[in-house]
Amino acid sequence: MAKPRELRRRIKSVQNTRKITRTMELVATSRLKRAQDRVIATRPYATALAEVLAELYAPELAERFPLLRQPAGVGRRVALVVVTSNRGLCGAFNANLIREARRRIEQLEAQGTGVDLHLIGKKGITYFKFTKRPLASQRTDIGDKPTTAHAADVAAPLMAQFASGAVDGVEVVFSQFKSAVSSPPTVARILPVEPKAATRGSGGVSPSYILKPSAEAILAELLPLYVRNQVYRALVETAAGFLGAQRTAMKNATDNAGEMLDSLQRTLNRARQAQITQELAEIVGGAEALKG
């Protein structure tokens, strides 16, 4: 059994660790609320944008707009954007994203498709550099507070490459935020833009739009906006997922520290009891020796 002095030192260390993990849990909780609000705020806009695109889209327009170009089946190349966090202490959050990215890379390369890897976040960059994987681009300046300007900076070169034919598709690996405890890694295709079937209003009637100057002019403005919005959604959902994972990890660490403190305190009590018993036995033994 460890000595009482050593046990007290270990208890003090665990108490300090619990204070740190508890503080990080509270900080992640406060940031998570703001990140969750950003995720919720982006969804209605993205839905409305997709509905308008569906109403304006017609198959014959694909030849006029580069972002609608469907790739050829031979010699394809895909730009894969992988979004991870800059920081750790979030359980298996980044490991799951990297695993999903590796799975998608293997799947594409098995089909004979080349992959240009674009990384956002230090954790993904560190891993793929360790594996000696060539990187097309890397960014670490976004963090857990992404903005529309960040999304525009990421999307602009990707749209240019797709429009020029340098790549035949753009996909993004991100964490789809469902709740504070559920953010599964997801692969989404953002280029070419594929508008869904137009939604109908009540009674099967399509919403009425006044198109000025023309549907083609509006579509030319909305297509880049749609791509930027998809990138922004991936960034904000991954940020929210990271904070949710960090809060869960820090809560588990705090709970584990509490259980360890209880165990160490019981061990300390037994050690003190054994020490007192030994001291009493020595006193009684000394008294008996004096009597003799």
Side-chain angles (χ1 to χ4, degrees):
M1 183 179 295
K3 296 181 178 179
R5 180 180 298 177
E6 180 183 350
L7 289 170
R8 291 190 185 95
R9 185 166 56 249
R10 291 177 61 185
I11 288 173
K12 183 65 175 178
S13 175
V14 174
Q15 286 176 338
N16 292 336
T17 301
R18 185 172 64 170
K19 289 179 182 179
I20 294 172
T21 57
R22 177 59 177 165
T23 301
M24 294 186 66
E25 177 190 349
L26 294 175
V27 171
T29 301
S30 64
R31 291 181 176 175
L32 174 62
K33 179 61 172 64
R34 293 191 291 270
Q36 189 171 358
D37 290 342
R38 284 195 294 269
V39 171
I40 295 173
T42 61
R43 288 175 177 171
Y45 176 76
T47 301
L49 188 59
E51 290 176 354
V52 175
L53 278 177
E55 289 291 338
L56 297 176
Y57 174 75
E60 58 270 16
L61 296 176
E63 297 180 358
R64 303 184 193 176
F65 298 98
L67 298 185
L68 295 174
R69 173 180 61 85
Q70 294 299 318
V74 181
R76 293 185 56 199
R77 192 159 196 87
V78 170
L80 186 66
V81 182
V82 182
V83 186
T84 59
S85 69
N86 286 334
R87 294 176 287 129
L89 300 177
C90 54
F93 176 79
N94 289 303
N96 291 336
L97 286 168
I98 292 171
R99 187 181 299 112
E100 182 66 17
R102 289 182 55 191
R103 184 198 65 79
R104 185 55 180 160
I105 291 171
E106 293 171 358
Q107 186 180 42
L108 289 170
E109 291 180 340
Q111 298 170 357
T113 302
V115 178
D116 292 340
L117 200 56
H118 300 264
L119 301 180
I120 300 174
K122 290 181 181 179
K123 295 301 178 180
I125 293 171
T126 301
Y127 174 81
F128 284 104
K129 279 187 174 180
F130 175 77
T131 60
K132 309 298 183 182
R133 181 85 190 187
L135 307 182
S137 69
Q138 56 183 356
R139 294 191 61 155
T140 60
D141 59 326
I142 295 178
D144 56 6
K145 294 181 180 179
T147 64
T148 54
H150 289 140
D153 290 342
V154 173
L158 296 174
M159 288 190 288
Q161 291 175 28
F162 181 81
S164 66
V167 297
D168 298 302
V170 177
E171 299 180 0
V172 57
V173 179
F174 68 102
S175 177
Q176 184 180 15
F177 184 80
K178 294 184 176 180
S179 68
V181 296
S182 177
S183 300
T186 306
V187 179
R189 187 179 184 182
I190 61 176
L191 281 173
V193 177
E194 297 178 342
K196 298 180 180 179
T199 56
R200 303 296 175 182
S202 58
V205 179
S206 175
S208 177
Y209 296 101
I210 299 176
L211 304 178
K212 184 178 181 180
S214 65
E216 289 79 5
I218 296 174
L219 195 60
E221 294 292 331
L222 290 185
L223 285 172
L225 188 61
Y226 176 79
V227 175
R228 289 194 293 268
N229 180 259
Q230 292 299 305
V231 174
Y232 180 64
R233 285 191 64 187
L235 294 176
V236 297
E237 294 205 19
T238 301
F242 162 72
L243 292 171
Q246 187 177 66
R247 187 188 72 166
T248 300
M250 292 300 98
K251 183 180 185 306
N252 292 338
T254 302
D255 294 342
N256 291 338
E259 294 176 2
M260 186 178 295
L261 282 175
D262 292 340
S263 176
L264 289 172
Q265 191 63 52
R266 286 193 297 268
T267 303
L268 175 62
N269 292 339
R270 287 195 295 269
R272 290 175 60 190
Q273 184 177 8
Q275 184 180 20
I276 293 172
T277 301
Q278 181 180 358
E279 290 174 354
L280 288 174
E282 291 174 354
I283 293 173
V284 171
E288 293 294 335
L290 291 175
K291 290 180 181 179

